[in-house]
PDB file of all heavy atoms in Angstrom:
ATOM      1  N   GLY D   2     164.099  67.801  87.398  1.00 64.00           N
ATOM      2  CA  GLY D   2     164.671  67.157  86.209  1.00 64.00           C
ATOM      3  C   GLY D   2     165.255  68.175  85.252  1.00 64.00           C
ATOM      4  O   GLY D   2     166.335  67.974  84.687  1.00 64.00           O
ATOM      5  N   LEU D   3     164.546  69.287  85.078  1.00 68.00           N
ATOM      6  CA  LEU D   3     165.041  70.358  84.236  1.00 68.00           C
ATOM      7  C   LEU D   3     166.321  70.956  84.826  1.00 68.00           C
ATOM      8  O   LEU D   3     167.278  71.228  84.108  1.00 68.00           O
ATOM      9  CB  LEU D   3     163.976  71.433  84.080  1.00 68.00           C
ATOM     10  CG  LEU D   3     164.292  72.595  83.157  1.00 68.00           C
ATOM     11  CD1 LEU D   3     164.510  72.115  81.732  1.00 68.00           C
ATOM     12  CD2 LEU D   3     163.165  73.603  83.205  1.00 68.00           C
ATOM     13  N   GLY D   4     166.326  71.112  86.141  1.00 72.00           N
ATOM     14  CA  GLY D   4     167.516  71.631  86.813  1.00 72.00           C
ATOM     15  C   GLY D   4     168.711  70.694  86.659  1.00 72.00           C
ATOM     16  O   GLY D   4     169.833  71.144  86.441  1.00 72.00           O
ATOM     17  N   PHE D   5     168.445  69.379  86.754  1.00 73.00           N
ATOM     18  CA  PHE D   5     169.520  68.392  86.584  1.00 73.00           C
ATOM     19  C   PHE D   5     170.066  68.461  85.159  1.00 73.00           C
ATOM     20  O   PHE D   5     171.280  68.435  84.956  1.00 73.00           O
ATOM     21  CB  PHE D   5     168.990  66.991  86.901  1.00 73.00           C
ATOM     22  CG  PHE D   5     170.028  65.924  86.799  1.00 73.00           C
ATOM     23  CD1 PHE D   5     171.057  65.838  87.722  1.00 73.00           C
ATOM     24  CD2 PHE D   5     169.985  65.002  85.770  1.00 73.00           C
ATOM     25  CE1 PHE D   5     172.021  64.859  87.631  1.00 73.00           C
ATOM     26  CE2 PHE D   5     170.941  64.013  85.663  1.00 73.00           C
ATOM     27  CZ  PHE D   5     171.966  63.938  86.596  1.00 73.00           C
ATOM     28  N   SER D   6     169.166  68.577  84.178  1.00 72.00           N
ATOM     29  CA  SER D   6     169.608  68.704  82.788  1.00 72.00           C
ATOM     30  C   SER D   6     170.419  69.973  82.583  1.00 72.00           C
ATOM     31  O   SER D   6     171.434  69.974  81.887  1.00 72.00           O
ATOM     32  CB  SER D   6     168.398  68.711  81.844  1.00 72.00           C
ATOM     33  OG  SER D   6     167.705  67.500  81.939  1.00 72.00           O
ATOM     34  N   LEU D   7     169.967  71.052  83.207  1.00 75.00           N
ATOM     35  CA  LEU D   7     170.689  72.318  83.116  1.00 75.00           C
ATOM     36  C   LEU D   7     172.074  72.206  83.750  1.00 75.00           C
ATOM     37  O   LEU D   7     173.063  72.690  83.199  1.00 75.00           O
ATOM     38  CB  LEU D   7     169.887  73.434  83.775  1.00 75.00           C
ATOM     39  CG  LEU D   7     170.464  74.839  83.684  1.00 75.00           C
ATOM     40  CD1 LEU D   7     170.558  75.281  82.237  1.00 75.00           C
ATOM     41  CD2 LEU D   7     169.610  75.806  84.465  1.00 75.00           C
ATOM     42  N   LEU D   8     172.147  71.530  84.902  1.00 80.00           N
ATOM     43  CA  LEU D   8     173.435  71.333  85.563  1.00 80.00           C
ATOM     44  C   LEU D   8     174.387  70.525  84.678  1.00 80.00           C
ATOM     45  O   LEU D   8     175.559  70.879  84.536  1.00 80.00           O
ATOM     46  CB  LEU D   8     173.236  70.628  86.910  1.00 80.00           C
ATOM     47  CG  LEU D   8     174.509  70.276  87.671  1.00 80.00           C
ATOM     48  CD1 LEU D   8     175.241  71.540  88.106  1.00 80.00           C
ATOM     49  CD2 LEU D   8     174.201  69.407  88.860  1.00 80.00           C
ATOM     50  N   LEU D   9     173.888  69.450  84.070  1.00 80.00           N
ATOM     51  CA  LEU D   9     174.728  68.658  83.168  1.00 80.00           C
ATOM     52  C   LEU D   9     175.187  69.483  81.967  1.00 80.00           C
ATOM     53  O   LEU D   9     176.345  69.380  81.548  1.00 80.00           O
ATOM     54  CB  LEU D   9     173.968  67.418  82.691  1.00 80.00           C
ATOM     55  CG  LEU D   9     173.806  66.304  83.714  1.00 80.00           C
ATOM     56  CD1 LEU D   9     172.981  65.167  83.123  1.00 80.00           C
ATOM     57  CD2 LEU D   9     175.152  65.779  84.177  1.00 80.00           C
ATOM     58  N   THR D  10     174.292  70.304  81.452  1.00 80.00           N
ATOM     59  CA  THR D  10     174.660  71.168  80.331  1.00 80.00           C
ATOM     60  C   THR D  10     175.781  72.126  80.716  1.00 80.00           C
ATOM     61  O   THR D  10     176.729  72.324  79.958  1.00 80.00           O
ATOM     62  CB  THR D  10     173.423  71.953  79.842  1.00 80.00           C
ATOM     63  OG1 THR D  10     172.409  71.024  79.467  1.00 80.00           O
ATOM     64  CG2 THR D  10     173.767  72.855  78.674  1.00 80.00           C
ATOM     65  N   VAL D  11     175.669  72.700  81.904  1.00 83.00           N
ATOM     66  CA  VAL D  11     176.711  73.616  82.377  1.00 83.00           C
ATOM     67  C   VAL D  11     178.035  72.871  82.564  1.00 83.00           C
ATOM     68  O   VAL D  11     179.094  73.358  82.155  1.00 83.00           O
ATOM     69  CB  VAL D  11     176.277  74.311  83.685  1.00 83.00           C
ATOM     70  CG1 VAL D  11     177.444  75.034  84.336  1.00 83.00           C
ATOM     71  CG2 VAL D  11     175.145  75.275  83.419  1.00 83.00           C
ATOM     72  N   LEU D  12     177.961  71.666  83.152  1.00 85.00           N
ATOM     73  CA  LEU D  12     179.186  70.904  83.387  1.00 85.00           C
ATOM     74  C   LEU D  12     179.867  70.508  82.078  1.00 85.00           C
ATOM     75  O   LEU D  12     181.094  70.506  81.993  1.00 85.00           O
ATOM     76  CB  LEU D  12     178.889  69.667  84.232  1.00 85.00           C
ATOM     77  CG  LEU D  12     178.517  69.948  85.692  1.00 85.00           C
ATOM     78  CD1 LEU D  12     178.150  68.644  86.398  1.00 85.00           C
ATOM     79  CD2 LEU D  12     179.651  70.646  86.419  1.00 85.00           C
ATOM     80  N   VAL D  13     179.086  70.182  81.061  1.00 81.00           N
ATOM     81  CA  VAL D  13     179.666  69.845  79.760  1.00 81.00           C
ATOM     82  C   VAL D  13     180.164  71.101  79.060  1.00 81.00           C
ATOM     83  O   VAL D  13     181.178  71.068  78.353  1.00 81.00           O
ATOM     84  CB  VAL D  13     178.618  69.105  78.886  1.00 81.00           C
ATOM     85  CG1 VAL D  13     179.073  68.985  77.453  1.00 81.00           C
ATOM     86  CG2 VAL D  13     178.325  67.733  79.467  1.00 81.00           C
ATOM     87  N   SER D  14     179.492  72.213  79.287  1.00 84.00           N
ATOM     88  CA  SER D  14     179.859  73.463  78.619  1.00 84.00           C
ATOM     89  C   SER D  14     181.190  74.030  79.104  1.00 84.00           C
ATOM     90  O   SER D  14     181.872  74.706  78.338  1.00 84.00           O
ATOM     91  CB  SER D  14     178.765  74.511  78.824  1.00 84.00           C
ATOM     92  OG  SER D  14     177.574  74.088  78.228  1.00 84.00           O
ATOM     93  N   ILE D  15     181.543  73.760  80.337  1.00 88.00           N
ATOM     94  CA  ILE D  15     182.791  74.315  80.882  1.00 88.00           C
ATOM     95  C   ILE D  15     184.010  73.852  80.083  1.00 88.00           C
ATOM     96  O   ILE D  15     184.784  74.683  79.602  1.00 88.00           O
ATOM     97  CB  ILE D  15     182.925  74.016  82.386  1.00 88.00           C
ATOM     98  CG1 ILE D  15     181.865  74.803  83.161  1.00 88.00           C
ATOM     99  CG2 ILE D  15     184.331  74.348  82.893  1.00 88.00           C
ATOM    100  CD1 ILE D  15     181.741  74.404  84.609  1.00 88.00           C
ATOM    101  N   PRO D  16     184.221  72.529  79.891  1.00 85.00           N
ATOM    102  CA  PRO D  16     185.391  72.143  79.085  1.00 85.00           C
ATOM    103  C   PRO D  16     185.262  72.551  77.617  1.00 85.00           C
ATOM    104  O   PRO D  16     186.258  72.863  76.970  1.00 85.00           O
ATOM    105  CB  PRO D  16     185.467  70.621  79.239  1.00 85.00           C
ATOM    106  CG  PRO D  16     184.170  70.188  79.794  1.00 85.00           C
ATOM    107  CD  PRO D  16     183.557  71.360  80.473  1.00 85.00           C
ATOM    108  N   LEU D  17     184.019  72.561  77.093  1.00 82.00           N
ATOM    109  CA  LEU D  17     183.841  73.003  75.709  1.00 82.00           C
ATOM    110  C   LEU D  17     184.208  74.480  75.563  1.00 82.00           C
ATOM    111  O   LEU D  17     184.828  74.873  74.574  1.00 82.00           O
ATOM    112  CB  LEU D  17     182.397  72.773  75.257  1.00 82.00           C
ATOM    113  CG  LEU D  17     181.981  71.319  75.079  1.00 82.00           C
ATOM    114  CD1 LEU D  17     180.508  71.226  74.741  1.00 82.00           C
ATOM    115  CD2 LEU D  17     182.833  70.632  74.025  1.00 82.00           C
ATOM    116  N   TYR D  18     183.843  75.279  76.550  1.00 87.00           N
ATOM    117  CA  TYR D  18     184.197  76.692  76.524  1.00 87.00           C
ATOM    118  C   TYR D  18     185.715  76.863  76.589  1.00 87.00           C
ATOM    119  O   TYR D  18     186.284  77.677  75.864  1.00 87.00           O
ATOM    120  CB  TYR D  18     183.526  77.433  77.683  1.00 87.00           C
ATOM    121  CG  TYR D  18     183.925  78.880  77.784  1.00 87.00           C
ATOM    122  CD1 TYR D  18     183.390  79.821  76.921  1.00 87.00           C
ATOM    123  CD2 TYR D  18     184.869  79.297  78.721  1.00 87.00           C
ATOM    124  CE1 TYR D  18     183.768  81.153  76.993  1.00 87.00           C
ATOM    125  CE2 TYR D  18     185.246  80.630  78.796  1.00 87.00           C
ATOM    126  CZ  TYR D  18     184.695  81.544  77.933  1.00 87.00           C
ATOM    127  OH  TYR D  18     185.082  82.860  78.007  1.00 87.00           O
ATOM    128  N   GLN D  19     186.365  76.081  77.448  1.00 86.00           N
ATOM    129  CA  GLN D  19     187.818  76.168  77.563  1.00 86.00           C
ATOM    130  C   GLN D  19     188.491  75.773  76.251  1.00 86.00           C
ATOM    131  O   GLN D  19     189.434  76.421  75.814  1.00 86.00           O
ATOM    132  CB  GLN D  19     188.316  75.279  78.716  1.00 86.00           C
ATOM    133  CG  GLN D  19     189.779  75.435  78.999  1.00 86.00           C
ATOM    134  CD  GLN D  19     190.142  76.844  79.416  1.00 86.00           C
ATOM    135  OE1 GLN D  19     189.440  77.478  80.168  1.00 86.00           O
ATOM    136  NE2 GLN D  19     191.253  77.341  78.917  1.00 86.00           N
ATOM    137  N   THR D  20     187.973  74.725  75.612  1.00 83.00           N
ATOM    138  CA  THR D  20     188.525  74.305  74.328  1.00 83.00           C
ATOM    139  C   THR D  20     188.325  75.392  73.278  1.00 83.00           C
ATOM    140  O   THR D  20     189.219  75.689  72.489  1.00 83.00           O
ATOM    141  CB  THR D  20     187.852  72.999  73.863  1.00 83.00           C
ATOM    142  OG1 THR D  20     188.083  71.990  74.848  1.00 83.00           O
ATOM    143  CG2 THR D  20     188.404  72.530  72.536  1.00 83.00           C
ATOM    144  N   PHE D  21     187.140  75.997  73.278  1.00 85.00           N
ATOM    145  CA  PHE D  21     186.862  77.085  72.343  1.00 85.00           C
ATOM    146  C   PHE D  21     187.825  78.252  72.565  1.00 85.00           C
ATOM    147  O   PHE D  21     188.366  78.811  71.614  1.00 85.00           O
ATOM    148  CB  PHE D  21     185.412  77.546  72.489  1.00 85.00           C
ATOM    149  CG  PHE D  21     185.088  78.775  71.691  1.00 85.00           C
ATOM    150  CD1 PHE D  21     184.957  78.709  70.315  1.00 85.00           C
ATOM    151  CD2 PHE D  21     184.937  80.005  72.312  1.00 85.00           C
ATOM    152  CE1 PHE D  21     184.671  79.846  69.576  1.00 85.00           C
ATOM    153  CE2 PHE D  21     184.653  81.140  71.580  1.00 85.00           C
ATOM    154  CZ  PHE D  21     184.519  81.059  70.207  1.00 85.00           C
ATOM    155  N   MET D  22     188.021  78.630  73.828  1.00 87.00           N
ATOM    156  CA  MET D  22     188.924  79.746  74.120  1.00 87.00           C
ATOM    157  C   MET D  22     190.357  79.418  73.693  1.00 87.00           C
ATOM    158  O   MET D  22     191.064  80.285  73.177  1.00 87.00           O
ATOM    159  CB  MET D  22     188.863  80.103  75.609  1.00 87.00           C
ATOM    160  CG  MET D  22     187.552  80.748  76.023  1.00 87.00           C
ATOM    161  SD  MET D  22     187.045  82.138  74.990  1.00 87.00           S
ATOM    162  CE  MET D  22     188.353  83.306  75.264  1.00 87.00           C
ATOM    163  N   ASN D  23     190.787  78.166  73.920  1.00 84.00           N
ATOM    164  CA  ASN D  23     192.127  77.768  73.466  1.00 84.00           C
ATOM    165  C   ASN D  23     192.234  77.865  71.951  1.00 84.00           C
ATOM    166  O   ASN D  23     193.254  78.312  71.421  1.00 84.00           O
ATOM    167  CB  ASN D  23     192.448  76.348  73.928  1.00 84.00           C
ATOM    168  CG  ASN D  23     192.781  76.296  75.398  1.00 84.00           C
ATOM    169  OD1 ASN D  23     193.102  77.299  76.018  1.00 84.00           O
ATOM    170  ND2 ASN D  23     192.683  75.115  75.980  1.00 84.00           N
ATOM    171  N   THR D  24     191.174  77.456  71.251  1.00 85.00           N
ATOM    172  CA  THR D  24     191.174  77.545  69.787  1.00 85.00           C
ATOM    173  C   THR D  24     191.317  78.988  69.344  1.00 85.00           C
ATOM    174  O   THR D  24     192.089  79.299  68.431  1.00 85.00           O
ATOM    175  CB  THR D  24     189.879  76.932  69.213  1.00 85.00           C
ATOM    176  OG1 THR D  24     189.787  75.568  69.632  1.00 85.00           O
ATOM    177  CG2 THR D  24     189.847  77.015  67.705  1.00 85.00           C
ATOM    178  N   VAL D  25     190.590  79.884  70.001  1.00 88.00           N
ATOM    179  CA  VAL D  25     190.679  81.315  69.669  1.00 88.00           C
ATOM    180  C   VAL D  25     192.095  81.822  69.923  1.00 88.00           C
ATOM    181  O   VAL D  25     192.670  82.535  69.088  1.00 88.00           O
ATOM    182  CB  VAL D  25     189.645  82.127  70.483  1.00 88.00           C
ATOM    183  CG1 VAL D  25     189.898  83.618  70.364  1.00 88.00           C
ATOM    184  CG2 VAL D  25     188.237  81.781  70.036  1.00 88.00           C
ATOM    185  N   ILE D  26     192.667  81.443  71.041  1.00 86.00           N
ATOM    186  CA  ILE D  26     194.027  81.890  71.380  1.00 86.00           C
ATOM    187  C   ILE D  26     195.026  81.387  70.339  1.00 86.00           C
ATOM    188  O   ILE D  26     195.868  82.149  69.847  1.00 86.00           O
ATOM    189  CB  ILE D  26     194.420  81.414  72.795  1.00 86.00           C
ATOM    190  CG1 ILE D  26     193.617  82.184  73.848  1.00 86.00           C
ATOM    191  CG2 ILE D  26     195.921  81.574  73.026  1.00 86.00           C
ATOM    192  CD1 ILE D  26     193.704  81.608  75.235  1.00 86.00           C
ATOM    193  N   TYR D  27     194.929  80.099  69.980  1.00 87.00           N
ATOM    194  CA  TYR D  27     195.878  79.538  69.019  1.00 87.00           C
ATOM    195  C   TYR D  27     195.670  80.114  67.623  1.00 87.00           C
ATOM    196  O   TYR D  27     196.635  80.326  66.881  1.00 87.00           O
ATOM    197  CB  TYR D  27     195.811  78.017  69.015  1.00 87.00           C
ATOM    198  CG  TYR D  27     196.304  77.446  70.325  1.00 87.00           C
ATOM    199  CD1 TYR D  27     195.505  76.628  71.099  1.00 87.00           C
ATOM    200  CD2 TYR D  27     197.560  77.768  70.807  1.00 87.00           C
ATOM    201  CE1 TYR D  27     195.952  76.132  72.313  1.00 87.00           C
ATOM    202  CE2 TYR D  27     198.021  77.278  72.021  1.00 87.00           C
ATOM    203  CZ  TYR D  27     197.204  76.462  72.769  1.00 87.00           C
ATOM    204  OH  TYR D  27     197.649  75.981  73.967  1.00 87.00           O
ATOM    205  N   GLN D  28     194.434  80.443  67.249  1.00 89.00           N
ATOM    206  CA  GLN D  28     194.204  81.085  65.951  1.00 89.00           C
ATOM    207  C   GLN D  28     194.817  82.483  65.927  1.00 89.00           C
ATOM    208  O   GLN D  28     195.350  82.909  64.900  1.00 89.00           O
ATOM    209  CB  GLN D  28     192.713  81.149  65.634  1.00 89.00           C
ATOM    210  CG  GLN D  28     192.133  79.823  65.217  1.00 89.00           C
ATOM    211  CD  GLN D  28     190.646  79.902  64.945  1.00 89.00           C
ATOM    212  OE1 GLN D  28     189.977  80.850  65.333  1.00 89.00           O
ATOM    213  NE2 GLN D  28     190.118  78.880  64.285  1.00 89.00           N
ATOM    214  N   ARG D  29     194.729  83.195  67.032  1.00 89.00           N
ATOM    215  CA  ARG D  29     195.355  84.523  67.096  1.00 89.00           C
ATOM    216  C   ARG D  29     196.874  84.410  66.949  1.00 89.00           C
ATOM    217  O   ARG D  29     197.504  85.226  66.276  1.00 89.00           O
ATOM    218  CB  ARG D  29     195.009  85.213  68.407  1.00 89.00           C
ATOM    219  CG  ARG D  29     193.607  85.738  68.448  1.00 89.00           C
ATOM    220  CD  ARG D  29     193.312  86.440  69.751  1.00 89.00           C
ATOM    221  NE  ARG D  29     191.911  86.841  69.806  1.00 89.00           N
ATOM    222  CZ  ARG D  29     191.242  87.044  70.907  1.00 89.00           C
ATOM    223  NH1 ARG D  29     191.849  86.921  72.083  1.00 89.00           N
ATOM    224  NH2 ARG D  29     189.979  87.385  70.879  1.00 89.00           N
TER     225      ARG D  29
END
């Protein structure tokens, strides 16, 4: 169950990370 939660966290984090990186790029 912990592993499943961790997997979901990673899957949600991927697009959030991409959005964050785009924000950094556009701010630069």
Side-chain angles (χ1 to χ4, degrees):
L3 184 62
F5 182 70
S6 298
L7 184 62
L8 176 66
L9 286 178
T10 302
V11 168
L12 290 176
V13 169
S14 297
I15 292 170
L17 291 175
Y18 176 77
Q19 187 61 41
T20 301
F21 173 73
M22 290 309 297
N23 285 342
T24 301
V25 169
I26 290 168
Y27 293 123
Q28 285 178 344
R29 285 181 185 156

